[in-house]
Amino acid sequence: MFLEFVNEVKDNIKHFLPGSYRNAEVFVMDYRKLNTTYKGLMVKREDETIAPIINMNQFYKAYQNQPGATMESIYRRIADVIMEASIQVNLKSIMDYDIAKDNLFIRVSSAERNKDMLVNVPHQLKEDLAITYHVDVSMDEKGLGSMLINNDLLKQYGITAEQLHEDAMKSSPHIMAPEVFSLGAMMEEMVEKDLFMMTSEEREMLQESIRKSAQMSSFFVVTNQQRIGGAGALFYPKMMDNLGEVLGHDYFILPSSIHEMLVLPDNGKISADELRMMVTEVNATQVSPAERLTDDVYYFDTKNHTFGKAERV
C-alpha cells in the first residue's frame, strides 16, 4: 500500500504544481539521514541544481491517520512544501570551502545506529557517539537547512578530515551558539509557553509535578539557542572544562536526545547504573527513534579533563 501511495504521488504531483514544473523530473529514492531513513520524493526543474526531498513516510502516515484526508489534499500539501522550499541555494556557499568553512557546525549521533552511513562520512568518535560535520545552508523562522559533509564533498574541498574538524569546532559556537540552563528552568519555560492552551486543572497538575521533582534542579541542560541538534554543543572547545569549573564537581552526562545533553554533578548520591536505567527507560517511552542517542551514561573527570563512559558500580 505504501509503495502504491508513493507511485501515485509521483505520477500526479506535477498536476498540482505551477506551469514552471511542466518539464520537471520526479524522482523517488531511499533517503538516509542521521538516525533515520525514509522514502523521498524530489521534483527537480531543469534550471535547478538543488531541490527539496519530501519525506513520503510522513505524508503516508498523515493520509492514514487524519480523518477526511484525501489524495487530492495530500497532493496539494506536498505541492505547497515543494514551492515553499524551491528557493535555490547558492552552490558556491557549499562547494567553495573558503566560504563554507565559516558556516560549519557539528552534530552528534549514535555511532552504532548510523554505522553504515558513517562509512562514507568524515567523523570523530567520542566513545559510541559520532561527531559529524554540516554546512549551514539557510536559517530562518522555519528552521535550519543544512547539508551533511560526506567523503566526496571532503575530497572536493581538498582538505583533511582533521582540518575539517578543527574548522568546524571554530565556527560551531557562532552558527549554533550554546546554551546551558537548569532542567527546572526549561520545564517552567515549557509550562509558560503552554499555559494558554491548558485548563486551570491541567496547569495546577503540571506545575505541582515540577515542584515535587526534587532532582530536577540538580540537572542542567546543554543545547544550542535553536534547540535543534544541540547535543553536539557539549563537545564545543572548553565546554566540558567550563561546565566543571562552574559546577565545582565531576559530572555525569546523560544523552537525553540529539537535541540536548543532561548534566548531573556527581555528589556521590546516585550511581551510574541508576542513571543508565533512567536513560534506557526514557528512551524507550519518551524519545522517538529518530531523536535517540544511546542508552549509556558518560562522565567528565574535571581533574584529568577526560570524557568517557561512566563506570558501572
Side-chain angles (χ1 to χ4, degrees), residues 13-14 16-27 41-52 79-89:
I13 188 60
K14 287 203 294 184
F16 294 83
L17 290 165
S20 60
Y21 286 86
R22 183 178 298 112
N23 296 320
E25 293 184 86
V26 183
F27 304 92
L41 178 97
M42 181 171 68
V43 182
K44 183 173 174 291
R45 291 177 289 190
E46 292 177 310
D47 60 341
E48 290 182 324
T49 52
I50 294 177
D80 287 342
V81 172
I82 291 171
M83 289 186 289
E84 287 176 5
S86 65
I87 298 174
Q88 286 301 285
V89 175

Side-chain angles (χ1 to χ4, degrees), residues 106-108 131 169 172-173 176-180 221-225 228-240 243 258-261:
I106 64 170
R107 279 184 171 159
V108 170
I131 294 176
M169 285 301 183
S172 287
M176 306 283 271
E179 277 195 345
V180 179
V221 179
V222 179
T223 183
N224 56 39
Q225 289 182 354
I228 301 172
L234 181 76
F235 297 99
Y236 287 179
K238 298 294 184 181
M239 174 62 80
M240 284 186 267
L243 279 171
I258 60 173
H259 303 302
E260 68 277 316
M261 295 283 197

